[in-house]
Amino acid sequence: MIKKLYIIILVICFTIINSCKTNADDNNQKWIGKYFVESYNKDNLKTSFDITIFNLDSINLLYISDDNPPEKYYNLKAIPKSSNKIKIIFNLNYKEMGIIYLEKSNDKYFISGDPIYFINPGNGIFQISKSQIIK
């Protein structure tokens, strides 16, 4: 009897672990790709992000702000905020200005910042183009 109970517990644990891994893999897959957005503020200064997500633990980001030299970041990690939203911290020295969020709504992707005016003044979120899926 104890042996049967032990086997049942092992099967339940394996099923739970396998289910969690499948959900994590599915969440990882939907983000893989290249993303690009650029916007201009009222002074016509450009902010752009070129983001390549290989998986949620391997993200490259090119950030261009105003007329400053481009900033390149490698091997960033995403923090899932929900099943359709991830947080990417690319520069802790910028505090909240060094954080972006990507959000998926149906087949569209959106980028936002904290504070939001950092990326798109006067709008809650800004659509970002997903140009390709990386294999």
Side-chain angles (χ1 to χ4, degrees):
M1 180 68 174
I2 293 176
K3 189 174 182 179
K4 284 183 180 180
L5 183 60
Y6 179 73
I7 291 171
I8 291 171
I9 291 171
L10 281 177
V11 168
I12 291 171
C13 288
F14 177 77
T15 303
I16 291 170
I17 290 168
N18 216 19
S19 174
C20 290
K21 183 179 182 318
T22 301
N23 290 341
D25 289 345
D26 290 345
N27 192 38
N28 200 21
Q29 286 297 319
K30 78 172 142 194
W31 297 107
I32 293 173
K34 285 188 65 66
Y35 302 83
F36 180 78
V37 66
E38 87 180 0
S39 64
Y40 293 86
N41 67 13
K42 63 182 179 178
D43 299 320
N44 206 33
L45 296 175
K46 179 172 79 168
T47 298
S48 72
F49 290 91
D50 190 347
I51 305 162
T52 304
I53 299 178
F54 301 102
N55 62 59
L56 294 181
D57 291 325
S58 180
I59 300 170
N60 294 345
L61 185 143
L62 176 66
Y63 168 59
I64 299 174
S65 175
D66 305 328
D67 291 328
N68 296 324
E71 298 177 26
K72 298 176 182 177
Y73 301 91
Y74 301 98
N75 296 315
L76 300 172
K77 295 183 183 337
I79 302 164
K81 300 306 283 179
S82 70
S83 62
N84 291 318
K85 187 173 187 178
I86 58 174
K87 174 181 180 179
I88 301 170
I89 301 170
F90 64 93
N91 190 327
L92 289 173
N93 293 327
Y94 294 163
K95 298 183 181 171
E96 69 272 358
M97 302 289 273
I99 300 171
I100 58 169
Y101 297 88
L102 292 180
E103 187 168 1
K104 183 178 189 293
S105 177
N106 298 320
D107 291 331
K108 295 181 180 175
Y109 291 84
F110 298 90
I111 187 170
S112 61
D114 189 15
I116 189 59
Y117 61 80
F118 163 57
I119 296 173
N120 188 30
N123 195 348
I125 50 180
F126 194 74
Q127 189 168 348
I128 186 168
S129 63
K130 183 176 181 182
S131 61
Q132 71 184 47
I133 295 176
I134 299 169
K135 298 289 180 184

